[in-house]
PDB file of all heavy atoms in Angstrom:
ATOM      1  N   VAL A  79     -11.564-177.099 131.133  1.00 97.00           N
ATOM      2  CA  VAL A  79     -11.561-176.957 132.549  1.00 97.00           C
ATOM      3  C   VAL A  79     -12.706-176.258 133.013  1.00 97.00           C
ATOM      4  O   VAL A  79     -13.142-175.165 132.476  1.00 97.00           O
ATOM      5  CB  VAL A  79     -10.232-176.449 132.967  1.00 97.00           C
ATOM      6  CG1 VAL A  79     -10.121-176.365 134.579  1.00 97.00           C
ATOM      7  CG2 VAL A  79      -8.976-177.183 132.423  1.00 97.00           C
ATOM      8  N   LYS A  90     -17.861-163.090 142.776  1.00 96.00           N
ATOM      9  CA  LYS A  90     -18.046-162.895 141.333  1.00 96.00           C
ATOM     10  C   LYS A  90     -16.841-163.456 140.544  1.00 96.00           C
ATOM     11  O   LYS A  90     -16.617-163.035 139.484  1.00 96.00           O
ATOM     12  CB  LYS A  90     -18.443-161.588 140.961  1.00 96.00           C
ATOM     13  CG  LYS A  90     -17.431-160.497 141.255  1.00 96.00           C
ATOM     14  CD  LYS A  90     -17.230-159.870 142.553  1.00 96.00           C
ATOM     15  CE  LYS A  90     -18.416-159.120 143.308  1.00 96.00           C
ATOM     16  NZ  LYS A  90     -18.071-158.753 144.838  1.00 96.00           N
ATOM     17  N   ILE A  98     -10.005-165.146 132.149  1.00 98.00           N
ATOM     18  CA  ILE A  98      -8.520-165.306 132.142  1.00 98.00           C
ATOM     19  C   ILE A  98      -7.931-166.548 131.683  1.00 98.00           C
ATOM     20  O   ILE A  98      -7.123-166.626 130.938  1.00 98.00           O
ATOM     21  CB  ILE A  98      -7.974-164.921 133.648  1.00 98.00           C
ATOM     22  CG1 ILE A  98      -8.395-163.477 134.173  1.00 98.00           C
ATOM     23  CG2 ILE A  98      -6.504-165.154 133.739  1.00 98.00           C
ATOM     24  CD1 ILE A  98      -8.048-163.109 135.515  1.00 98.00           C
ATOM     25  N   LYS A 108     -18.783-173.531 130.410  1.00 93.00           N
ATOM     26  CA  LYS A 108     -19.160-173.615 131.775  1.00 93.00           C
ATOM     27  C   LYS A 108     -20.726-173.362 131.954  1.00 93.00           C
ATOM     28  O   LYS A 108     -21.351-172.392 131.452  1.00 93.00           O
ATOM     29  CB  LYS A 108     -18.443-172.477 132.543  1.00 93.00           C
ATOM     30  CG  LYS A 108     -18.887-172.477 134.081  1.00 93.00           C
ATOM     31  CD  LYS A 108     -17.842-171.942 134.975  1.00 93.00           C
ATOM     32  CE  LYS A 108     -18.410-171.952 136.311  1.00 93.00           C
ATOM     33  NZ  LYS A 108     -19.024-173.216 136.854  1.00 93.00           N
ATOM     34  N   ILE A 127     -26.471-158.126 132.297  1.00 96.00           N
ATOM     35  CA  ILE A 127     -25.849-157.420 131.109  1.00 96.00           C
ATOM     36  C   ILE A 127     -26.910-157.367 130.038  1.00 96.00           C
ATOM     37  O   ILE A 127     -27.532-158.326 129.644  1.00 96.00           O
ATOM     38  CB  ILE A 127     -24.757-158.443 130.591  1.00 96.00           C
ATOM     39  CG1 ILE A 127     -23.694-158.580 131.749  1.00 96.00           C
ATOM     40  CG2 ILE A 127     -24.047-157.963 129.366  1.00 96.00           C
ATOM     41  CD1 ILE A 127     -22.617-159.708 131.428  1.00 96.00           C
ATOM     42  N   GLY A 133     -29.581-168.731 128.485  1.00 90.00           N
ATOM     43  CA  GLY A 133     -30.233-170.045 127.923  1.00 90.00           C
ATOM     44  C   GLY A 133     -29.931-170.236 126.620  1.00 90.00           C
ATOM     45  O   GLY A 133     -30.264-169.576 125.599  1.00 90.00           O
ATOM     46  N   ASP A 383     -10.668-152.475 158.956  1.00 98.00           N
ATOM     47  CA  ASP A 383     -10.721-150.989 158.825  1.00 98.00           C
ATOM     48  C   ASP A 383     -11.022-150.325 160.075  1.00 98.00           C
ATOM     49  O   ASP A 383     -11.889-150.708 160.834  1.00 98.00           O
ATOM     50  CB  ASP A 383     -11.714-150.616 157.701  1.00 98.00           C
ATOM     51  CG  ASP A 383     -11.331-151.054 156.350  1.00 98.00           C
ATOM     52  OD1 ASP A 383     -10.110-151.419 156.279  1.00 98.00           O
ATOM     53  OD2 ASP A 383     -12.090-151.100 155.416  1.00 98.00           O
TER      54      ASP A 383
END
Side-chain angles (χ1 to χ4, degrees):
V79 182
K90 66 282 290 175
I98 295 176
K108 174 153 176 56
I127 299 170
D383 286 346

